[in-house]
Amino acid sequence: MTGKNKNTMLAMIQSPVLWGSAASFGFYYAIQSGFIQHPLIYRYFASHPVEYIATTMFFVGLAGLVLKFFQLLWEPNVSGVSVLGPFVQEEVNVSNCHHLLETIRQKPPKIRQSPLADRITRGIQYVSRRKTCEGLESHLRLLAEQAEERSSSGYSTVRIIISTIPILGFLGTVIGITRAVAELASLVGDISFEEAINSVVSGLSVAFDTTALALALSIMLMFGMFFVHRWESSRLSQVEDQAESALIGRFYVEVEQEDPHLVAIRSIGSEVIQSTERLV
């Protein structure tokens, strides 16, 4: 099997649509086959076509959160582990920091494949490529922002489902009310008005069930997404803090090898700061 086929198969296995649809099929199979016979379950989940759609979308969103949860659970967490060893102030020359990358490569796979090791590796590569530690802190913050954006985009499907399910519930209610009004108009001429009203009101209760179900399902997904996203954000914050602690201040630049433009800019900045202090 080629790498492309493996990636396609892996994407299908990790698809929340696949697992959510399978869970919805199993749920409704249990209802139709009689394994679940509670009247409230049938009333709120299997008495209106919109309820089938809303429930399926709920299972898709729930599958996405469960997959994200297990992804975080299996992701190597090396918080508290010193990836580069003890920190020593200005111990590494920016022109000779390749041994730090080799140190990371010699770590166990759990550490080497962790998000923290990846963040530190990117920081070292930035310093090695530019031959200066200027802007390292800004670069680490940029990497943290990119990681946060990727994390947020991972919940886009769940967010769409959370915002769509209530709309489906209201749609089911509107359809139910429309059918009830049409039925009322057709019954008034045949039976008394009181009997027609009683028949229509009993049908409206089913129509409003779709809104109640949709709101309940969306609330459950909102709370689930909140807790999973909060856990992932906490992990990302730990990675950011540990990466800055491991890299900021570890490098130094030899004066004769430093870019003369940077030396001039630093000198001008120092003079500006001194003049400002005297002015203040």
Side-chain angles (χ1 to χ4, degrees):
M1 183 180 294
T2 62
K4 185 177 181 180
N5 293 335
K6 288 182 179 179
N7 293 334
T8 303
M9 184 65 66
L10 183 62
M12 292 180 60
I13 293 176
Q14 295 178 348
S15 173
V17 177
L18 174 65
W19 294 105
S21 301
S24 178
F25 176 81
F27 177 71
Y28 281 108
Y29 178 80
I31 293 178
Q32 299 299 331
S33 61
F35 290 106
I36 301 177
Q37 298 181 349
H38 199 283
L40 290 179
I41 296 294
Y42 183 82
R43 172 183 172 181
Y44 283 99
F45 290 93
S47 60
H48 197 283
V50 173
E51 293 174 348
Y52 285 85
I53 301 174
T55 304
T56 301
M57 294 185 68
F58 167 77
F59 278 114
V60 171
L62 184 62
L65 293 177
V66 171
L67 290 173
K68 175 66 72 172
F69 174 81
F70 281 107
Q71 178 184 350
L72 293 173
L73 193 64
W74 293 331
E75 186 178 79
N77 183 14
V78 293
S79 58
V81 177
S82 180
V83 178
L84 297 178
F87 177 83
V88 178
Q89 184 78 16
E90 296 185 354
E91 67 165 336
V92 181
N93 189 341
V94 295
S95 301
N96 187 23
C97 55
H98 301 287
H99 67 282
L100 295 179
L101 298 175
E102 187 63 28
T103 300
I104 297 177
R105 295 191 190 100
Q106 294 176 358
K107 294 290 182 179
K110 179 181 179 181
I111 298 177
R112 190 173 62 250
Q113 298 173 3
S114 65
L116 176 59
D118 179 71
R119 185 73 57 81
I120 292 177
T121 299
R122 291 174 181 269
I124 297 172
Q125 290 174 346
Y126 173 84
V127 173
S128 176
R129 186 168 56 249
R130 302 196 47 154
K131 304 299 181 183
T132 178
C133 54
E134 296 286 343
L136 175 59
E137 187 173 359
S138 300
H139 182 68
L140 292 177
R141 291 178 181 175
L142 176 62
L143 294 177
E145 293 174 359
Q146 292 175 349
E148 185 64 31
E149 290 176 0
R150 288 193 299 269
S151 170
S152 180
S153 64
Y155 298 92
S156 57
T157 302
V158 181
R159 289 194 180 95
I160 293 175
I161 291 175
I162 290 175
S163 61
T164 305
I165 287 180
I167 298 176
L168 283 174
F170 291 130
L171 178 62
T173 299
V174 170
I175 293 174
I177 293 175
T178 303
R179 294 178 60 183
V181 172
E183 184 178 357
L184 176 63
S186 63
L187 292 177
V188 167
D190 299 331
I191 60 177
S192 65
F193 184 76
E194 290 78 7
E195 293 176 347
I197 287 294
N198 292 333
S199 175
V200 170
V201 169
S202 63
L204 286 177
S205 63
V206 177
F208 284 105
D209 288 344
T210 60
T211 299
L213 173 67
L215 294 176
L217 295 180
S218 62
I219 288 173
M220 287 189 286
L221 286 179
M222 286 177 62
F223 277 101
M225 187 182 71
F226 169 76
F227 287 113
V228 175
H229 188 242
R230 182 180 178 183
W231 183 25
E232 186 173 10
S233 298
S234 176
R235 296 274 291 270
L236 291 176
S237 297
Q238 291 179 359
V239 170
E240 181 181 1
D241 294 339
Q242 289 188 256
E244 290 185 356
S245 300
L247 295 178
I248 301 298
R250 185 183 287 265
F251 302 95
Y252 72 90
V253 181
E254 294 183 1
V255 177
E256 61 272 11
Q257 295 181 356
E258 193 172 9
D259 190 343
H261 298 90
L262 293 177
V263 175
I265 293 175
R266 187 180 295 110
S267 176
I268 294 173
S270 178
E271 293 179 1
V272 171
I273 293 174
Q274 294 177 4
S275 299
T276 305
E277 290 177 349
R278 288 195 300 268
L279 180 62
V280 172

Coordinates of all heavy atoms in Angstrom, one line a residue, residues 165-209:
I165 N -27.8 22.7 14.4 CA -28.8 21.9 15.1 C -30.0 22.7 15.6 O -31.1 22.3 15.3 CB -28.2 21.0 16.2 CG1 -27.3 19.9 15.6 CG2 -29.2 20.4 17.1 CD1 -26.6 19.0 16.7
P166 N -29.8 23.8 16.3 CA -30.9 24.6 16.7 C -31.8 25.1 15.5 O -33.0 25.2 15.6 CB -30.3 25.8 17.5 CG -29.0 25.3 17.9 CD -28.5 24.4 16.8
I167 N -31.1 25.4 14.4 CA -31.9 25.9 13.2 C -32.7 24.7 12.7 O -33.9 25.0 12.3 CB -30.9 26.4 12.1 CG1 -30.1 27.6 12.6 CG2 -31.6 26.7 10.8 CD1 -29.0 28.1 11.7
L168 N -32.2 23.5 12.7 CA -33.0 22.4 12.3 C -34.2 22.2 13.2 O -35.3 21.9 12.8 CB -32.2 21.1 12.3 CG -31.2 20.9 11.1 CD1 -30.3 19.7 11.4 CD2 -32.0 20.8 9.8
G169 N -34.0 22.4 14.5 CA -35.1 22.3 15.5 C -36.2 23.3 15.2 O -37.4 22.9 15.2
F170 N -35.8 24.5 15.0 CA -36.8 25.5 14.7 C -37.5 25.2 13.3 O -38.7 25.5 13.2 CB -36.2 26.9 14.6 CG -35.7 27.4 15.9 CD1 -34.4 27.9 16.1 CD2 -36.5 27.4 17.0 CE1 -34.0 28.3 17.3 CE2 -36.1 27.8 18.3 CZ -34.8 28.3 18.4
L171 N -36.8 24.7 12.4 CA -37.4 24.3 11.1 C -38.4 23.2 11.3 O -39.5 23.3 10.7 CB -36.3 23.8 10.1 CG -36.7 23.3 8.8 CD1 -37.4 24.5 8.0 CD2 -35.6 22.8 8.0
G172 N -38.1 22.2 12.1 CA -39.1 21.2 12.4 C -40.3 21.8 13.1 O -41.5 21.3 12.8
T173 N -40.1 22.7 14.0 CA -41.3 23.3 14.6 C -42.1 24.1 13.6 O -43.4 24.1 13.7 CB -40.8 24.3 15.8 OG1 -40.1 23.5 16.7 CG2 -42.0 24.9 16.4
V174 N -41.5 24.9 12.8 CA -42.2 25.7 11.8 C -43.0 24.7 10.8 O -44.2 25.0 10.5 CB -41.2 26.6 11.0 CG1 -41.9 27.2 9.8 CG2 -40.7 27.6 11.8
I175 N -42.4 23.7 10.4 CA -43.1 22.7 9.5 C -44.3 22.1 10.3 O -45.4 22.0 9.7 CB -42.1 21.6 9.1 CG1 -41.1 22.2 8.2 CG2 -42.9 20.5 8.4 CD1 -40.0 21.2 7.8
G176 N -44.1 21.8 11.6 CA -45.2 21.2 12.3 C -46.3 22.2 12.5 O -47.5 21.8 12.4
I177 N -46.0 23.5 12.8 CA -47.1 24.5 12.9 C -47.8 24.7 11.6 O -49.0 24.8 11.6 CB -46.5 25.8 13.4 CG1 -45.9 25.6 14.9 CG2 -47.5 26.9 13.4 CD1 -45.2 26.8 15.4
T178 N -47.0 24.7 10.5 CA -47.7 24.9 9.2 C -48.6 23.8 8.9 O -49.8 24.0 8.4 CB -46.6 25.0 8.1 OG1 -45.7 26.1 8.4 CG2 -47.2 25.2 6.7
R179 N -48.2 22.5 9.1 CA -49.1 21.4 8.9 C -50.3 21.4 9.8 O -51.4 21.1 9.4 CB -48.3 20.1 9.1 CG -47.2 19.9 8.1 CD -46.5 18.6 8.3 NE -47.3 17.5 8.3 CZ -46.9 16.2 8.5 NH1 -45.7 16.0 8.9 NH2 -47.8 15.2 8.5
A180 N -50.1 21.9 11.1 CA -51.2 21.9 12.0 C -52.2 23.0 11.6 O -53.5 22.7 11.7 CB -50.7 22.3 13.4
V181 N -51.8 24.1 11.1 CA -52.7 25.2 10.7 C -53.5 24.7 9.4 O -54.7 24.9 9.3 CB -51.9 26.5 10.4 CG1 -52.9 27.5 9.7 CG2 -51.4 27.0 11.6
A182 N -52.8 24.0 8.5 CA -53.5 23.5 7.3 C -54.5 22.4 7.7 O -55.6 22.4 7.1 CB -52.4 22.9 6.4
E183 N -54.1 21.6 8.7 CA -55.1 20.6 9.1 C -56.3 21.2 9.8 O -57.4 20.7 9.7 CB -54.4 19.6 10.1 CG -55.2 18.4 10.6 CD -54.5 17.5 11.5 OE1 -53.3 17.7 11.7 OE2 -55.1 16.6 12.0
L184 N -56.0 22.3 10.6 CA -57.1 23.0 11.2 C -58.1 23.5 10.2 O -59.3 23.4 10.4 CB -56.6 24.1 12.1 CG -57.6 25.0 12.8 CD1 -58.5 24.2 13.8 CD2 -56.9 26.1 13.5
A185 N -57.6 24.1 9.2 CA -58.4 24.7 8.1 C -59.3 23.6 7.4 O -60.4 23.9 7.0 CB -57.6 25.4 7.1
S186 N -58.7 22.4 7.3 CA -59.5 21.3 6.7 C -60.5 20.7 7.6 O -61.5 20.1 7.1 CB -58.5 20.3 6.1 OG -57.8 19.7 7.2
L187 N -60.3 20.8 8.9 CA -61.2 20.1 9.8 C -62.3 20.9 10.3 O -63.3 20.4 10.8 CB -60.4 19.6 11.0 CG -59.4 18.4 10.8 CD1 -58.6 18.1 12.0 CD2 -60.1 17.2 10.2
V188 N -62.2 22.2 10.2 CA -63.2 23.1 10.8 C -64.6 22.9 10.2 O -65.6 22.9 10.8 CB -62.8 24.6 10.7 CG1 -63.9 25.5 11.0 CG2 -61.6 24.9 11.6
G189 N -64.6 22.6 8.9 CA -65.9 22.5 8.2 C -66.5 21.1 8.5 O -67.7 21.0 8.3
D190 N -65.7 20.1 8.9 CA -66.3 18.8 9.1 C -66.7 18.5 10.5 O -67.7 17.8 10.8 CB -65.2 17.7 8.6 CG -64.9 17.9 7.1 OD1 -65.8 18.4 6.4 OD2 -63.7 17.6 6.8
I191 N -65.9 19.0 11.5 CA -66.2 18.8 12.9 C -66.3 20.1 13.6 O -66.0 21.1 13.0 CB -65.1 17.8 13.5 CG1 -63.8 18.5 13.4 CG2 -65.1 16.5 12.9 CD1 -62.7 17.7 14.1
S192 N -66.6 20.0 14.9 CA -66.7 21.3 15.6 C -65.4 21.9 15.8 O -64.3 21.3 15.7 CB -67.4 21.0 17.0 OG -66.5 20.2 17.8
F193 N -65.4 23.2 16.1 CA -64.1 24.0 16.2 C -63.3 23.5 17.4 O -62.1 23.4 17.4 CB -64.4 25.5 16.4 CG -63.2 26.3 16.4 CD1 -62.5 26.6 15.3 CD2 -62.8 26.9 17.6 CE1 -61.4 27.4 15.3 CE2 -61.6 27.6 17.7 CZ -60.9 27.9 16.5
E194 N -64.0 23.1 18.5 CA -63.3 22.6 19.7 C -62.6 21.3 19.5 O -61.5 21.1 19.9 CB -64.3 22.5 20.9 CG -64.9 23.8 21.5 CD -66.0 24.4 20.6 OE1 -66.4 23.7 19.6 OE2 -66.4 25.5 20.8
E195 N -63.3 20.4 18.7 CA -62.6 19.1 18.4 C -61.4 19.3 17.5 O -60.4 18.7 17.6 CB -63.6 18.2 17.8 CG -64.7 17.7 18.8 CD -65.8 16.9 18.1 OE1 -65.8 16.8 16.8 OE2 -66.6 16.2 18.8
A196 N -61.6 20.3 16.6 CA -60.5 20.6 15.6 C -59.3 21.1 16.4 O -58.1 20.8 16.1 CB -60.9 21.5 14.5
I197 N -59.5 22.1 17.3 CA -58.5 22.7 18.1 C -57.7 21.6 18.9 O -56.5 21.6 19.0 CB -59.0 23.8 19.0 CG1 -59.4 25.0 18.2 CG2 -58.0 24.1 20.1 CD1 -58.2 25.7 17.5
N198 N -58.5 20.7 19.6 CA -57.9 19.6 20.3 C -57.0 18.7 19.5 O -55.9 18.3 19.9 CB -58.9 18.8 21.0 CG -59.7 19.6 22.1 OD1 -59.1 20.5 22.7 ND2 -60.9 19.2 22.4
S199 N -57.4 18.4 18.3 CA -56.6 17.6 17.4 C -55.3 18.3 17.0 O -54.3 17.7 16.9 CB -57.5 17.2 16.2 OG -56.7 16.5 15.2
V200 N -55.5 19.6 16.7 CA -54.3 20.4 16.2 C -53.3 20.6 17.4 O -52.1 20.4 17.2 CB -54.7 21.7 15.7 CG1 -53.5 22.6 15.4 CG2 -55.5 21.5 14.4
V201 N -53.8 20.8 18.6 CA -52.9 21.0 19.8 C -52.1 19.8 20.1 O -50.9 19.8 20.4 CB -53.7 21.5 21.0 CG1 -52.8 21.5 22.2 CG2 -54.2 22.9 20.8
S202 N -52.7 18.6 20.0 CA -52.0 17.4 20.2 C -50.9 17.2 19.2 O -49.8 16.6 19.5 CB -53.0 16.2 20.1 OG -53.5 16.1 18.8
G203 N -51.1 17.7 17.9 CA -50.0 17.6 16.9 C -48.9 18.6 17.1 O -47.8 18.3 16.8
L204 N -49.3 19.7 17.7 CA -48.3 20.8 17.9 C -47.2 20.3 19.0 O -46.1 20.8 18.9 CB -48.9 22.1 18.4 CG -49.7 22.9 17.3 CD1 -50.3 24.1 17.9 CD2 -48.7 23.3 16.2
S205 N -47.6 19.5 19.9 CA -46.6 19.1 20.9 C -45.5 18.3 20.3 O -44.3 18.5 20.7 CB -47.4 18.1 21.9 OG -47.8 17.0 21.3
V206 N -45.8 17.6 19.2 CA -44.7 16.9 18.5 C -43.8 17.9 17.8 O -42.6 17.7 17.7 CB -45.3 15.8 17.5 CG1 -44.2 15.1 16.7 CG2 -46.1 14.8 18.3
A207 N -44.4 18.9 17.2 CA -43.7 19.9 16.5 C -42.7 20.6 17.4 O -41.5 20.9 17.0 CB -44.6 20.9 15.8
F208 N -43.1 21.0 18.6 CA -42.2 21.7 19.5 C -41.1 20.8 20.1 O -40.1 21.2 20.6 CB -43.0 22.3 20.6 CG -43.7 23.6 20.2 CD1 -45.1 23.6 20.0 CD2 -43.0 24.8 20.0 CE1 -45.7 24.7 19.6 CE2 -43.6 25.9 19.6 CZ -45.0 25.9 19.4
D209 N -41.3 19.5 20.0 CA -40.3 18.5 20.5 C -39.0 18.6 19.7 O -37.9 18.4 20.3 CB -40.8 17.1 20.4 CG -41.9 16.8 21.4 OD1 -42.0 17.6 22.4 OD2 -42.6 15.8 21.3

